[in-house]
Amino acid sequence: MDLNDAVLTCAVNMQWTNAVGITGRKLAYKTATLRLVRNDLRELFVEVTPEKLKPLKFKLKDLMVHKKFMAEGKATFNFKAENCTLYLSNAPPGTLMFFLRTIYIKMNGNEGGSQPDDASLQKKLREHLMSAKPSSFEDVSPVTTAEMILARKKAGLLSKGSVTTPSPQVAKKRRFEELKEEKERGTMPAAKKLYQSTTDESLRLSEEQMEVLRACTSGKSVFFTGSAGTGKSFLLRRIISALPPDGTVATASTGVAACLIGGTTLHAFAGIGGGDATMQRSLELASRPASAQNWRKCKRLIIDEISMVDGQFFEKIEAVARHIRRNDRPFGGIQLILCGDFLQLPPVIKGDFGGATTATPQQRFCFQSSAWETCIQCVYELKQVHRQSDPEFVKILNHLRIGHVNDSITSRLAATSKQKIEGNGILATQLCSHTNDANSINESKLENLGGDKILFKADDSDASMTKTLDQQIQAPSQLYLKVNAQVMLLKNINISNGLVNGARGVVVRMEKDLPVVRFKNNQEYICKHEKWIIKTASGSHITRRQVPLKLAWAFSIHKSQGLTLDCVEMSLSKVFEAGQAYVALSRAKSLQSIRILDFDAKQVWANPQVLQFYKGFRRKLMDTTMIPLGPKNKDKKPGDKTANSALAKLKKSLINKPLVSIS
Ligand SMILES: Nc1ncnc2c1ncn2[C@@H]1O[C@H](COP(=O)(O)OP(=O)(O)OP(=O)(O)O)[C@@H](O)[C@H]1O
Ligand SMILES: [Mg+2]
């Protein structure tokens, strides 16, 4: 693959010291490519090739790596034997992690260590010296499973011949010995951490996800879509970690979605307020020094949940980008990476998601803005659903997504009203169409529980940013809990144990001032404080430490967009938006973990303009006969017969021939 784990491009500063530690030669390169290579004696080297210059090679011996700031794209390589230190920065964090991991595996993944045994080394050395050929280097081969297993064993994560975790005492002793050995050898300390990917780093991208990743890393402006659960946000996190941090701005239309990708809200970044101001005023607002600097520094703008970005707002920020950056290219030359599903919730024009109808009649989607066509170079649709594995449920959801409900779907969903989805004392989360309903359910249920209320206060790195953190991070600044409170986990703690973001549980006791939660799969977990980091619009980091829980008797459907939820109950009688019922249902992982109290086909509809937009996808790629939705049909409400028959045909065409990527 072109996203090679043995190649890394980043900024490199090199510094040599003499034998007594006095700094000598220094070199600095804004862009250099690091490559892991072997010579004909099979010794490993890091080859550093600064742009347009000759490569330098450093032998992988007596290497110390500092990777504390790996997540920010920084690491330090100290080649002791050569008295040289390489300071790497602006590296794509994910690529850096894989690069370090490859070094570690290649150094430890051979029986007998990274170096060939003495006899073969001597033989090769002799051949090498006798030969007239110059020394040659080749790229290291891709990491093999055998190398990985061996390196994992050496890191103490696999005990001999088994995959069980060693007891804490054994692990501690082994680690102590390893550290001693590492110290003596000068190899990478804490390399073990590179294997402890309990979060979704360990999951592999599918081929269709890889294709999008490749388009994004090649600098194209991309929009990718796909139904709920196709891994759009998951992929976005990988894309972000494969891009250089400088100039990469990760945003989303809502705070919850922004938090899922470790970014900020699009509104906070754009610096034009709520978007209601005139174009002239918006340009003035964005010209203020802090906002203008954000726009000038931005090279790649990422937006998740694009369906909820208002079209007029999108048009304004496109003009702002051109104006501030003094660049007439679309979006002022910024690479756009947009993702979302327009068949989920549409833009909220005003209000707090709580009103009866928040969308104005002239509501516009991003794809309707004139900026859209000019800014997007490639469009992809992800088709493989990862959130749900049951084909029956996936099929039902695909129908609901385009507003299509038949009798068999109605009866299957209505049948869920009686199913018992609770277990282990964990009640189902009620998904509400209105935010206020969800808040009052949580408050009153907590009040009604017996026992003392315990306050968990968040520790914010910047007290003046508490409001911003509240908007973007699901973990509240003040969390009141009681024993028996219904809660949801807000972090991926351990994927293989089911302790994932969205897992539902109940507080069973307090231990050392921390809540112990029993989850649906019977796992108990002491919820220690976790850290959330968000990037402010200006690029600085602010953090919140809090126990990773929130009350989960109820949520609003709007707040649930983007989440995967265990065990949900819903009444859809008050839904007020196209796509709202689909968003609610598609949060669940299976038909067995959902209860719909009053399912009615009328609660499910898709926006005809969105259906039309998706139809255009295929028109671009496939030469199929399309069923035109005449202009007079556009404004007709659901229920109109002519419009309905055209819509029905359109839906059918969308179901039978899934959209494919267009580039
Ligand atoms: N390649 C993959 N392998 C395994 N699991 C995956 C993969 N891609 C995504 N997932 C998992 O699928 C689930 C849904 O992913 P994600 O939330 O990114 O979907 P989405 O398309 O953003 O959905 P939504 O439209 O609801 O926001 C997550 O639990 C994620 O970890
Ligand atoms: Mg998502």
Side-chain angles (χ1 to χ4, degrees), residues 206 208-209 212 222-236 303-308 338-345 367 372 378-388 394 397-402 561-562 579 582-583 586-587 610 613-614 617 654 657-662:
S206 63
E208 59 177 11
Q209 289 172 326
V212 180
V222 169
F223 162 60
F224 63 95
T225 186
S227 60
T230 44
K232 298 181 294 298
S233 305
F234 170 85
L235 170 58
L236 217 42
I303 311 176
D304 196 3
E305 297 294 359
I306 189 76
S307 73
M308 291 176 84
L338 312 180
C339 110
D341 176 13
F342 285 106
L343 287 160
Q344 295 185 40
L345 284 163
F367 63 77
W372 182 267
C378 299
V379 186
Y380 294 90
E381 191 191 32
L382 301 178
K383 293 186 285 295
Q384 189 181 347
V385 175
H386 296 274
R387 184 175 290 136
Q388 295 88 11
V394 171
L397 288 174
N398 281 341
H399 278 262
L400 299 183
R401 179 167 178 250
I402 54 168
Q561 178 150 318
Y582 170 63
V583 167
S586 58
R587 300 307 99 203
V610 175
F613 165 72
Y614 274 121
F617 258 56
L654 286 171
K657 287 181 186 141
L659 308 166
V660 280
S661 65
I662 303 165

Coordinates of all heavy atoms in Angstrom, one line a residue, residues 206 208-209 212 222-236 303-308 338-345 367 372 378-388 394 397-402 561-562 579 582-583 586-587 610 613-614 617 654 657-662:
S206 N -11.4 -1.1 5.9 CA -11.8 -2.0 4.8 C -11.2 -1.4 3.5 O -10.7 -0.3 3.5 CB -13.3 -2.0 4.7 OG -13.8 -0.7 4.4
E208 N -12.7 -0.3 0.9 CA -13.4 1.0 0.4 C -13.0 2.1 1.3 O -12.9 3.3 0.8 CB -14.9 0.8 0.4 CG -15.5 0.4 1.8 CD -17.1 0.3 1.7 OE1 -17.7 0.3 0.7 OE2 -17.7 0.2 2.9
Q209 N -12.7 1.9 2.6 CA -12.3 3.0 3.5 C -10.8 3.4 3.1 O -10.5 4.6 3.1 CB -12.3 2.5 4.9 CG -13.7 2.4 5.5 CD -13.8 1.7 6.9 OE1 -12.9 0.8 7.2 NE2 -14.7 2.1 7.7
V212 N -10.7 5.8 0.2 CA -11.0 7.2 0.6 C -9.8 7.8 1.3 O -9.4 9.0 1.0 CB -12.2 7.3 1.5 CG1 -12.5 8.7 1.9 CG2 -13.5 6.7 0.9
V222 N -12.5 15.9 -1.0 CA -13.3 14.7 -1.0 C -14.6 14.9 -0.2 O -14.6 15.6 0.8 CB -12.5 13.6 -0.3 CG1 -13.3 12.3 -0.1 CG2 -11.3 13.2 -1.2
F223 N -15.7 14.3 -0.7 CA -16.9 14.2 0.1 C -17.2 12.7 0.2 O -17.3 12.1 -0.9 CB -18.1 14.9 -0.5 CG -19.4 14.5 0.1 CD1 -19.7 14.5 1.4 CD2 -20.4 13.9 -0.8 CE1 -20.9 14.1 1.9 CE2 -21.6 13.5 -0.3 CZ -21.9 13.5 1.1
F224 N -17.3 12.1 1.4 CA -17.7 10.7 1.4 C -18.9 10.6 2.3 O -19.0 11.2 3.3 CB -16.5 9.8 1.7 CG -15.9 9.9 3.1 CD1 -16.4 9.1 4.2 CD2 -14.9 10.8 3.3 CE1 -15.8 9.2 5.4 CE2 -14.3 10.9 4.6 CZ -14.7 10.2 5.6
T225 N -19.7 9.7 1.8 CA -21.0 9.5 2.5 C -21.2 8.0 2.7 O -20.3 7.2 2.5 CB -22.1 10.1 1.7 OG1 -23.4 10.1 2.4 CG2 -22.3 9.5 0.3
G226 N -22.4 7.6 3.2 CA -22.7 6.2 3.4 C -23.7 6.2 4.5 O -23.9 7.2 5.3
S227 N -24.4 5.1 4.6 CA -25.5 5.0 5.6 C -24.9 5.0 7.0 O -23.7 4.9 7.2 CB -26.3 3.8 5.3 OG -25.5 2.6 5.4
A228 N -25.7 5.1 8.0 CA -25.3 5.1 9.4 C -24.5 3.9 9.7 O -24.9 2.8 9.3 CB -26.5 5.2 10.3
G229 N -23.4 4.0 10.4 CA -22.6 2.9 10.8 C -21.7 2.3 9.8 O -21.1 1.2 10.0
T230 N -21.5 3.0 8.7 CA -20.5 2.5 7.7 C -19.1 2.9 8.0 O -18.2 2.6 7.2 CB -20.9 3.0 6.2 OG1 -21.2 4.4 6.3 CG2 -22.0 2.3 5.6
G231 N -18.9 3.5 9.2 CA -17.5 3.8 9.6 C -17.0 5.1 9.1 O -15.8 5.3 8.9
K232 N -17.9 6.1 8.8 CA -17.4 7.4 8.3 C -16.5 8.1 9.3 O -15.5 8.6 9.0 CB -18.6 8.3 7.9 CG -19.5 7.7 6.8 CD -20.6 8.6 6.4 CE -21.7 8.8 7.5 NZ -22.4 7.5 7.9
S233 N -17.1 8.2 10.6 CA -16.3 8.9 11.6 C -15.1 8.1 12.0 O -14.0 8.7 12.3 CB -17.2 9.2 12.8 OG -18.4 9.8 12.5
F234 N -15.2 6.8 12.0 CA -14.0 6.0 12.3 C -12.9 6.2 11.3 O -11.8 6.4 11.6 CB -14.5 4.5 12.2 CG -13.5 3.4 12.2 CD1 -13.0 3.0 13.4 CD2 -13.0 2.9 11.0 CE1 -12.0 2.0 13.4 CE2 -12.1 1.9 11.0 CZ -11.6 1.4 12.2
L235 N -13.3 6.3 10.0 CA -12.4 6.5 8.9 C -11.8 7.9 9.0 O -10.6 8.2 8.8 CB -13.1 6.3 7.6 CG -12.4 6.8 6.3 CD1 -11.0 6.1 6.1 CD2 -13.2 6.5 5.1
L236 N -12.7 8.9 9.4 CA -12.2 10.3 9.5 C -11.1 10.4 10.6 O -10.1 11.1 10.4 CB -13.4 11.1 10.0 CG -13.5 12.5 9.4 CD1 -13.1 12.6 7.9 CD2 -14.9 13.1 9.6
I303 N -14.7 18.2 7.9 CA -16.0 18.5 8.5 C -16.8 17.2 8.6 O -17.1 16.6 7.5 CB -16.9 19.6 7.7 CG1 -16.0 20.8 7.4 CG2 -18.1 19.9 8.5 CD1 -16.8 21.9 6.6
D304 N -17.1 16.8 9.8 CA -18.0 15.6 10.0 C -19.4 16.0 10.2 O -19.7 17.2 10.5 CB -17.5 14.7 11.2 CG -18.1 13.3 11.2 OD1 -18.8 13.0 10.2 OD2 -17.9 12.5 12.1
E305 N -20.4 15.1 10.0 CA -21.8 15.4 10.0 C -22.1 16.6 9.2 O -22.8 17.6 9.6 CB -22.2 15.6 11.5 CG -22.1 14.4 12.4 CD -23.0 13.2 12.1 OE1 -23.8 13.3 11.1 OE2 -22.8 12.2 12.7
I306 N -21.7 16.6 7.9 CA -21.9 17.7 7.0 C -23.4 17.9 6.7 O -23.8 19.0 6.4 CB -21.1 17.5 5.7 CG1 -21.1 18.7 4.8 CG2 -21.6 16.2 4.9 CD1 -20.2 19.8 5.2
S307 N -24.2 16.9 6.9 CA -25.7 17.0 6.6 C -26.3 18.1 7.5 O -27.3 18.7 7.1 CB -26.4 15.7 6.9 OG -26.5 15.4 8.2
M308 N -25.7 18.4 8.7 CA -26.2 19.4 9.6 C -25.6 20.8 9.4 O -25.9 21.7 10.2 CB -26.1 18.9 11.0 CG -27.0 17.7 11.3 SD -26.8 17.1 12.9 CE -27.9 18.1 13.8
L338 N -15.0 16.2 3.6 CA -16.3 16.3 4.2 C -16.9 15.0 4.3 O -16.8 14.1 3.4 CB -17.2 17.2 3.3 CG -16.7 18.5 2.8 CD1 -17.7 19.3 1.9 CD2 -16.3 19.4 4.0
C339 N -17.7 14.7 5.3 CA -18.3 13.4 5.4 C -19.6 13.5 6.2 O -19.8 14.4 7.0 CB -17.4 12.4 5.9 SG -17.6 11.8 7.6
G340 N -20.5 12.7 5.9 CA -21.8 12.7 6.6 C -22.8 11.9 5.7 O -22.5 11.4 4.6
D341 N -24.1 11.9 6.2 CA -25.1 11.2 5.5 C -26.3 12.2 5.4 O -26.9 12.5 6.4 CB -25.5 10.0 6.2 CG -26.7 9.2 5.6 OD1 -27.0 9.6 4.4 OD2 -27.2 8.3 6.2
F342 N -26.6 12.7 4.2 CA -27.7 13.7 4.1 C -29.0 13.1 4.4 O -30.0 13.9 4.6 CB -27.6 14.4 2.7 CG -26.5 15.4 2.6 CD1 -25.4 15.1 1.8 CD2 -26.6 16.6 3.2 CE1 -24.4 16.0 1.7 CE2 -25.5 17.5 3.1 CZ -24.4 17.2 2.4
L343 N -29.1 11.8 4.5 CA -30.4 11.2 4.8 C -30.6 11.0 6.3 O -31.6 10.5 6.8 CB -30.6 9.8 4.1 CG -30.8 10.0 2.5 CD1 -30.5 8.8 1.8 CD2 -32.2 10.5 2.3
Q344 N -29.6 11.6 7.1 CA -29.8 11.7 8.5 C -30.3 13.1 8.8 O -30.9 13.7 7.9 CB -28.5 11.3 9.2 CG -28.2 9.8 9.0 CD -27.0 9.3 9.8 OE1 -26.8 9.7 11.0 NE2 -26.2 8.5 9.2
L345 N -30.0 13.6 10.0 CA -30.6 14.9 10.3 C -30.2 16.1 9.5 O -29.0 16.2 9.2 CB -30.4 15.2 11.8 CG -31.4 14.3 12.7 CD1 -30.9 14.3 14.1 CD2 -32.8 14.8 12.6
F367 N -25.1 20.7 -0.2 CA -24.9 20.4 -1.6 C -25.8 21.3 -2.5 O -25.6 21.2 -3.7 CB -25.3 18.9 -1.8 CG -26.7 18.5 -1.5 CD1 -27.8 18.8 -2.3 CD2 -27.0 17.9 -0.3 CE1 -29.1 18.5 -2.0 CE2 -28.4 17.5 0.0 CZ -29.4 17.9 -0.9
W372 N -20.6 24.1 -3.5 CA -20.4 22.6 -3.4 C -19.7 22.0 -4.6 O -18.6 21.4 -4.5 CB -21.7 22.0 -3.1 CG -21.7 20.5 -2.9 CD1 -21.8 19.5 -3.9 CD2 -21.4 19.8 -1.7 NE1 -21.7 18.3 -3.4 CE2 -21.5 18.4 -2.0 CE3 -21.2 20.1 -0.4 CZ2 -21.3 17.4 -1.0 CZ3 -21.0 19.2 0.6 CH2 -21.0 17.8 0.2
C378 N -13.8 14.7 -5.5 CA -14.1 13.2 -5.5 C -15.2 12.9 -4.5 O -15.3 13.5 -3.4 CB -12.9 12.4 -5.0 SG -11.5 12.5 -5.9
V379 N -16.1 12.0 -4.9 CA -17.2 11.6 -4.0 C -17.1 10.1 -3.9 O -16.9 9.4 -4.8 CB -18.5 12.0 -4.7 CG1 -19.7 11.8 -3.7 CG2 -18.5 13.5 -5.1
Y380 N -17.3 9.7 -2.7 CA -17.3 8.2 -2.4 C -18.5 7.8 -1.5 O -19.0 8.7 -0.7 CB -16.1 7.8 -1.6 CG -14.8 8.0 -2.4 CD1 -14.1 9.2 -2.3 CD2 -14.3 7.0 -3.2 CE1 -13.0 9.3 -3.1 CE2 -13.2 7.1 -3.9 CZ -12.5 8.3 -3.8 OH -11.3 8.5 -4.6
E381 N -19.0 6.6 -1.7 CA -20.0 6.1 -0.8 C -19.5 4.8 -0.2 O -19.1 3.9 -0.9 CB -21.3 5.9 -1.4 CG -22.4 5.6 -0.3 CD -23.7 5.1 -0.8 OE1 -23.8 4.4 -1.8 OE2 -24.7 5.4 -0.1
L382 N -19.4 4.8 1.2 CA -19.1 3.6 1.9 C -20.3 2.7 1.9 O -21.4 3.2 2.2 CB -18.6 3.9 3.3 CG -17.4 4.8 3.4 CD1 -17.1 5.1 4.9 CD2 -16.2 4.2 2.7
K383 N -20.2 1.4 1.6 CA -21.3 0.6 1.5 C -21.4 -0.5 2.6 O -22.4 -1.0 2.9 CB -21.4 -0.1 0.2 CG -21.7 1.0 -0.9 CD -21.9 0.4 -2.3 CE -20.7 -0.1 -2.9 NZ -19.7 0.9 -3.3
Q384 N -20.2 -0.8 3.2 CA -20.2 -1.9 4.2 C -20.6 -1.3 5.6 O -19.9 -0.4 6.1 CB -18.8 -2.5 4.2 CG -18.7 -3.7 5.1 CD -17.3 -4.3 5.1 OE1 -16.4 -3.9 4.4 NE2 -17.1 -5.2 6.0
V385 N -21.7 -1.9 6.1 CA -22.1 -1.4 7.4 C -21.4 -2.2 8.5 O -21.3 -3.4 8.5 CB -23.6 -1.6 7.6 CG1 -24.1 -1.3 9.0 CG2 -24.4 -0.8 6.6
H386 N -20.8 -1.4 9.5 CA -20.0 -2.1 10.5 C -20.7 -2.1 11.9 O -20.5 -2.9 12.7 CB -18.7 -1.4 10.7 CG -17.8 -1.5 9.5 ND1 -16.9 -2.5 9.3 CD2 -17.6 -0.6 8.5 CE1 -16.3 -2.3 8.2 NE2 -16.7 -1.2 7.6
R387 N -21.6 -1.1 12.0 CA -22.3 -1.0 13.4 C -23.2 -2.2 13.6 O -23.3 -2.7 14.7 CB -23.1 0.3 13.4 CG -23.7 0.5 14.8 CD -24.4 1.9 14.9 NE -23.4 3.0 15.0 CZ -23.5 4.1 14.3 NH1 -24.6 4.3 13.5 NH2 -22.6 5.0 14.3
Q388 N -24.0 -2.6 12.5 CA -24.9 -3.7 12.7 C -24.3 -4.9 11.9 O -23.8 -4.7 10.8 CB -26.3 -3.4 12.2 CG -27.0 -2.3 13.0 CD -26.7 -0.9 12.5 OE1 -26.1 -0.7 11.4 NE2 -27.1 0.1 13.2
V394 N -29.9 -4.6 8.8 CA -29.2 -3.7 7.8 C -30.2 -3.3 6.7 O -30.3 -2.2 6.3 CB -27.9 -4.3 7.3 CG1 -27.3 -3.5 6.2 CG2 -26.9 -4.4 8.5
L397 N -32.9 -1.0 7.8 CA -32.4 0.4 8.0 C -32.2 1.0 6.6 O -32.5 2.2 6.5 CB -31.1 0.4 8.8 CG -31.2 0.1 10.3 CD1 -29.9 -0.1 10.9 CD2 -32.0 1.1 11.0
N398 N -31.7 0.3 5.6 CA -31.5 0.8 4.3 C -32.8 1.3 3.7 O -32.9 2.3 3.0 CB -30.9 -0.2 3.4 CG -29.4 -0.3 3.6 OD1 -28.8 0.6 4.2 ND2 -28.8 -1.4 3.2
H399 N -33.9 0.6 4.0 CA -35.2 1.1 3.5 C -35.7 2.3 4.2 O -36.1 3.3 3.6 CB -36.2 -0.1 3.7 CG -36.2 -1.1 2.6 ND1 -37.1 -1.1 1.5 CD2 -35.4 -2.1 2.4 CE1 -36.8 -2.1 0.7 NE2 -35.7 -2.7 1.2
L400 N -35.5 2.3 5.6 CA -36.0 3.5 6.4 C -35.2 4.7 6.0 O -35.7 5.8 5.9 CB -35.7 3.2 7.9 CG -36.4 2.1 8.5 CD1 -36.2 2.0 10.0 CD2 -38.0 2.1 8.3
R401 N -33.9 4.5 5.6 CA -33.1 5.7 5.3 C -33.6 6.5 4.1 O -33.6 7.7 4.1 CB -31.7 5.1 4.9 CG -30.7 6.2 4.5 CD -29.3 5.6 4.5 NE -28.3 6.6 4.1 CZ -27.7 6.5 2.9 NH1 -27.9 5.6 2.0 NH2 -26.8 7.5 2.6
I402 N -34.2 5.8 3.2 CA -34.8 6.5 2.0 C -36.3 6.7 2.2 O -37.0 7.0 1.2 CB -34.4 5.8 0.7 CG1 -34.9 4.4 0.7 CG2 -32.9 5.9 0.4 CD1 -34.8 3.7 -0.6
Q561 N -27.0 11.5 17.3 CA -26.5 11.3 15.9 C -25.0 11.1 16.0 O -24.2 11.9 16.6 CB -26.8 12.5 15.0 CG -26.2 12.4 13.6 CD -27.0 13.1 12.5 OE1 -28.3 13.0 12.5 NE2 -26.4 13.7 11.6
G562 N -24.5 10.1 15.4 CA -23.0 9.8 15.4 C -22.7 8.7 16.4 O -21.6 8.1 16.3
G579 N -35.6 12.0 8.4 CA -34.4 11.3 8.8 C -34.3 11.1 10.3 O -33.4 10.3 10.8
Y582 N -34.9 7.5 11.3 CA -33.8 6.6 10.9 C -32.6 6.8 11.8 O -31.9 5.8 12.1 CB -33.5 7.0 9.4 CG -32.2 6.4 8.9 CD1 -32.0 5.0 8.8 CD2 -31.1 7.2 8.6 CE1 -30.9 4.4 8.4 CE2 -29.9 6.6 8.2 CZ -29.8 5.2 8.1 OH -28.6 4.7 7.7
V583 N -32.3 8.0 12.2 CA -31.1 8.3 13.1 C -31.4 7.5 14.4 O -30.5 6.8 14.9 CB -30.9 9.8 13.3 CG1 -30.0 10.0 14.5 CG2 -30.4 10.5 12.1
S586 N -31.0 3.7 13.8 CA -29.7 3.2 13.4 C -28.6 3.4 14.5 O -27.5 3.0 14.2 CB -29.3 4.0 12.1 OG -29.2 5.4 12.3
R587 N -29.0 3.9 15.6 CA -28.0 3.9 16.7 C -27.8 2.5 17.3 O -26.8 2.2 17.9 CB -28.4 4.8 17.9 CG -28.7 6.3 17.6 CD -27.5 6.9 16.9 NE -27.7 7.0 15.5 CZ -26.7 7.1 14.6 NH1 -25.4 7.1 15.0 NH2 -26.9 7.1 13.3
V610 N -33.0 15.5 -1.0 CA -31.8 14.7 -0.7 C -31.8 13.5 -1.5 O -30.7 13.1 -2.1 CB -31.7 14.4 0.8 CG1 -30.6 13.4 1.1 CG2 -31.6 15.6 1.7
F613 N -30.5 14.4 -4.8 CA -29.1 14.6 -4.7 C -28.4 13.3 -4.8 O -27.4 13.1 -5.6 CB -28.7 15.3 -3.5 CG -27.2 15.3 -3.1 CD1 -26.3 16.0 -3.9 CD2 -26.8 14.5 -2.1 CE1 -25.0 16.0 -3.6 CE2 -25.4 14.4 -1.8 CZ -24.5 15.2 -2.5
Y614 N -28.8 12.3 -4.1 CA -28.2 11.0 -4.1 C -28.3 10.3 -5.4 O -27.4 9.6 -5.9 CB -28.7 10.1 -3.0 CG -27.9 10.4 -1.7 CD1 -28.5 10.8 -0.5 CD2 -26.5 10.2 -1.7 CE1 -27.8 11.0 0.7 CE2 -25.8 10.5 -0.5 CZ -26.4 10.9 0.6 OH -25.7 11.1 1.8
F617 N -25.6 11.2 -7.8 CA -24.3 10.4 -7.6 C -24.2 9.4 -8.7 O -23.2 9.3 -9.3 CB -24.5 9.7 -6.3 CG -23.7 10.3 -5.1 CD1 -24.0 11.5 -4.7 CD2 -22.8 9.5 -4.5 CE1 -23.3 12.1 -3.7 CE2 -22.2 10.0 -3.4 CZ -22.4 11.3 -3.0
L654 N -32.8 3.6 -5.8 CA -31.7 3.8 -4.8 C -31.5 2.5 -4.0 O -30.3 2.2 -3.7 CB -32.0 4.9 -3.9 CG -31.9 6.4 -4.5 CD1 -32.4 7.4 -3.6 CD2 -30.5 6.7 -4.9
K657 N -29.9 -0.4 -6.6 CA -28.5 -0.2 -7.1 C -27.8 0.7 -6.2 O -27.9 1.9 -6.3 CB -28.6 0.4 -8.5 CG -29.0 -0.6 -9.6 CD -29.1 0.0 -10.9 CE -29.7 -0.9 -11.9 NZ -30.5 -0.3 -12.9
P658 N -27.0 0.2 -5.3 CA -26.4 1.0 -4.3 C -25.4 2.0 -5.0 O -24.9 1.6 -6.1 CB -25.6 0.1 -3.4 CG -25.7 -1.2 -4.0 CD -26.8 -1.2 -5.1
L659 N -25.2 3.1 -4.4 CA -24.3 4.1 -5.0 C -22.9 3.6 -5.0 O -22.5 2.9 -4.1 CB -24.4 5.4 -4.3 CG -25.9 5.9 -4.1 CD1 -26.0 7.0 -3.1 CD2 -26.4 6.4 -5.4
V660 N -22.1 4.0 -5.9 CA -20.7 3.6 -5.9 C -19.8 4.9 -6.0 O -20.3 6.0 -6.2 CB -20.3 2.7 -7.1 CG1 -20.8 1.3 -6.9 CG2 -20.9 3.3 -8.4
S661 N -18.5 4.7 -5.8 CA -17.7 5.8 -5.7 C -17.5 6.5 -7.0 O -17.5 5.9 -8.1 CB -16.3 5.4 -5.2 OG -15.7 4.6 -6.1
I662 N -17.3 7.8 -7.0 CA -17.2 8.6 -8.2 C -15.9 9.4 -8.0 O -15.7 10.0 -7.0 CB -18.3 9.6 -8.3 CG1 -19.7 8.9 -8.4 CG2 -18.1 10.5 -9.6 CD1 -20.8 9.8 -8.1

